[in-house]
Coordinates of all heavy atoms in Angstrom, one line a residue:
R149 N -3.7 -6.7 -11.9 CA -3.7 -8.1 -11.5 C -3.8 -9.0 -12.8 O -4.3 -8.6 -13.8 CB -4.8 -8.4 -10.6 CG -6.2 -8.1 -11.1 CD -7.2 -8.1 -10.0 NE -8.3 -9.0 -10.3 CZ -9.5 -9.1 -9.7 NH1 -9.6 -8.5 -8.5 NH2 -10.4 -9.9 -10.1
I150 N -3.4 -10.2 -12.6 CA -3.5 -11.3 -13.6 C -4.9 -11.9 -13.5 O -5.3 -12.3 -12.4 CB -2.5 -12.4 -13.4 CG1 -1.1 -11.8 -13.3 CG2 -2.6 -13.4 -14.5 CD1 -0.6 -11.1 -14.5
I151 N -5.7 -11.9 -14.6 CA -7.0 -12.5 -14.5 C -7.1 -13.8 -15.3 O -8.1 -14.5 -15.2 CB -8.1 -11.5 -14.9 CG1 -7.9 -11.0 -16.4 CG2 -8.2 -10.3 -14.0 CD1 -9.2 -10.2 -16.9
D152 N -6.1 -14.0 -16.2 CA -6.2 -15.3 -17.0 C -4.8 -15.5 -17.5 O -4.0 -14.6 -17.7 CB -7.2 -15.2 -18.1 CG -7.7 -16.5 -18.6 OD1 -7.3 -17.6 -18.1 OD2 -8.5 -16.5 -19.6
F153 N -4.5 -16.8 -17.8 CA -3.2 -17.1 -18.4 C -3.3 -18.5 -19.0 O -4.1 -19.3 -18.6 CB -2.1 -17.0 -17.4 CG -2.1 -18.0 -16.3 CD1 -1.2 -19.1 -16.4 CD2 -2.9 -17.9 -15.2 CE1 -1.2 -20.1 -15.4 CE2 -2.9 -18.9 -14.2 CZ -2.1 -20.0 -14.3
D154 N -2.4 -18.8 -19.9 CA -2.2 -20.2 -20.4 C -0.7 -20.3 -20.6 O 0.1 -19.5 -20.1 CB -3.0 -20.5 -21.6 CG -2.6 -19.7 -22.9 OD1 -1.5 -19.1 -22.9 OD2 -3.4 -19.7 -23.8
A155 N -0.2 -21.4 -21.3 CA 1.2 -21.7 -21.4 C 2.0 -20.6 -22.1 O 3.2 -20.5 -21.9 CB 1.3 -23.0 -22.2
K156 N 1.3 -19.7 -22.9 CA 2.1 -18.8 -23.7 C 1.6 -17.3 -23.6 O 2.2 -16.4 -24.1 CB 2.0 -19.2 -25.2 CG 2.5 -20.5 -25.5 CD 2.3 -20.8 -27.0 CE 2.8 -22.2 -27.4 NZ 2.6 -22.5 -28.8
R157 N 0.5 -17.1 -22.9 CA -0.1 -15.8 -22.8 C -0.7 -15.5 -21.4 O -1.0 -16.4 -20.7 CB -1.3 -15.6 -23.8 CG -1.0 -16.0 -25.2 CD -2.2 -16.2 -26.0 NE -3.0 -17.3 -25.5 CZ -4.2 -17.6 -25.9 NH1 -4.7 -17.0 -26.9 NH2 -4.9 -18.7 -25.4
F158 N -0.9 -14.2 -21.1 CA -1.6 -13.9 -19.9 C -2.4 -12.6 -20.1 O -2.0 -11.8 -21.0 CB -0.8 -13.8 -18.6 CG 0.3 -12.8 -18.6 CD1 0.0 -11.5 -18.0 CD2 1.6 -13.0 -19.1 CE1 1.0 -10.6 -18.0 CE2 2.6 -12.1 -19.0 CZ 2.3 -10.8 -18.5
V159 N -3.4 -12.4 -19.3 CA -4.3 -11.2 -19.4 C -4.1 -10.4 -18.1 O -4.3 -11.0 -17.0 CB -5.7 -11.6 -19.6 CG1 -6.6 -10.3 -19.7 CG2 -5.9 -12.4 -20.9
L160 N -3.7 -9.2 -18.3 CA -3.7 -8.2 -17.1 C -4.9 -7.4 -17.1 O -5.4 -7.0 -18.2 CB -2.5 -7.3 -17.3 CG -1.1 -7.8 -17.1 CD1 -0.1 -6.7 -17.5 CD2 -0.9 -8.1 -15.7
H161 N -5.5 -7.1 -16.0 CA -6.6 -6.2 -15.8 C -6.1 -5.1 -14.9 O -5.4 -5.4 -13.9 CB -7.8 -6.8 -15.3 CG -9.0 -5.9 -15.2 ND1 -9.1 -5.1 -14.1 CD2 -10.0 -5.6 -16.0 CE1 -10.2 -4.3 -14.2 NE2 -10.7 -4.6 -15.4
Q162 N -6.4 -3.8 -15.3 CA -5.9 -2.7 -14.5 C -7.1 -1.8 -14.2 O -8.0 -1.6 -15.0 CB -4.8 -1.9 -15.2 CG -3.6 -2.7 -15.4 CD -2.6 -2.0 -16.2 OE1 -2.8 -1.7 -17.4 NE2 -1.4 -1.7 -15.7
E163 N -7.1 -1.2 -12.9 CA -8.0 -0.2 -12.6 C -7.3 1.1 -12.2 O -6.4 1.0 -11.3 CB -8.9 -0.6 -11.4 CG -9.9 -1.7 -11.7 CD -10.9 -2.0 -10.6 OE1 -10.8 -1.5 -9.5 OE2 -11.8 -2.8 -10.9
M164 N -7.6 2.2 -12.8 CA -7.0 3.5 -12.5 C -7.9 4.2 -11.6 O -9.1 4.5 -12.0 CB -6.7 4.3 -13.8 CG -6.1 5.6 -13.5 SD -6.0 6.6 -15.0 CE -4.7 5.7 -15.9
I165 N -7.4 4.5 -10.4 CA -8.2 5.2 -9.4 C -7.7 6.7 -9.3 O -6.5 6.9 -9.2 CB -8.1 4.5 -8.0 CG1 -8.5 3.0 -8.1 CG2 -8.9 5.2 -7.0 CD1 -9.9 2.7 -8.6
D166 N -8.7 7.6 -9.2 CA -8.3 9.0 -9.0 C -8.3 9.2 -7.5 O -9.3 9.1 -6.8 CB -9.4 9.9 -9.6 CG -9.1 11.4 -9.5 OD1 -8.3 11.8 -8.6 OD2 -9.6 12.1 -10.4
D167 N -7.1 9.4 -6.9 CA -6.9 9.5 -5.5 C -7.6 10.7 -4.8 O -7.8 10.7 -3.6 CB -5.5 9.5 -5.1 CG -4.8 8.2 -5.5 OD1 -5.5 7.1 -5.5 OD2 -3.6 8.2 -5.7
R168 N -8.1 11.7 -5.6 CA -8.8 12.8 -5.0 C -10.0 12.3 -4.3 O -10.3 12.8 -3.2 CB -9.2 13.8 -6.1 CG -8.2 14.7 -6.6 CD -8.7 15.6 -7.6 NE -9.4 14.9 -8.7 CZ -10.4 15.3 -9.4 NH1 -10.9 16.5 -9.3 NH2 -10.9 14.5 -10.3
D169 N -10.7 11.4 -4.9 CA -12.0 10.9 -4.3 C -12.1 9.4 -4.3 O -13.2 8.9 -3.9 CB -13.2 11.6 -5.0 CG -13.2 11.3 -6.5 OD1 -12.4 10.5 -7.0 OD2 -14.0 11.9 -7.2
G170 N -11.1 8.7 -4.8 CA -11.2 7.2 -4.8 C -12.1 6.6 -5.9 O -12.3 5.4 -5.9
A171 N -12.4 7.5 -6.8 CA -13.3 7.0 -7.9 C -12.5 6.3 -9.0 O -11.4 6.7 -9.3 CB -14.1 8.2 -8.5
L172 N -13.2 5.4 -9.7 CA -12.6 4.7 -10.8 C -12.6 5.7 -12.0 O -13.6 6.3 -12.4 CB -13.4 3.5 -11.2 CG -12.9 2.7 -12.4 CD1 -11.6 2.0 -12.0 CD2 -14.0 1.6 -12.8

């Protein structure tokens, strides 16, 4: 997801989930 941006840049944040147990 996009968590911040301005006219020339943006910040993406990502969470990787292990689907075996739904843990981060």
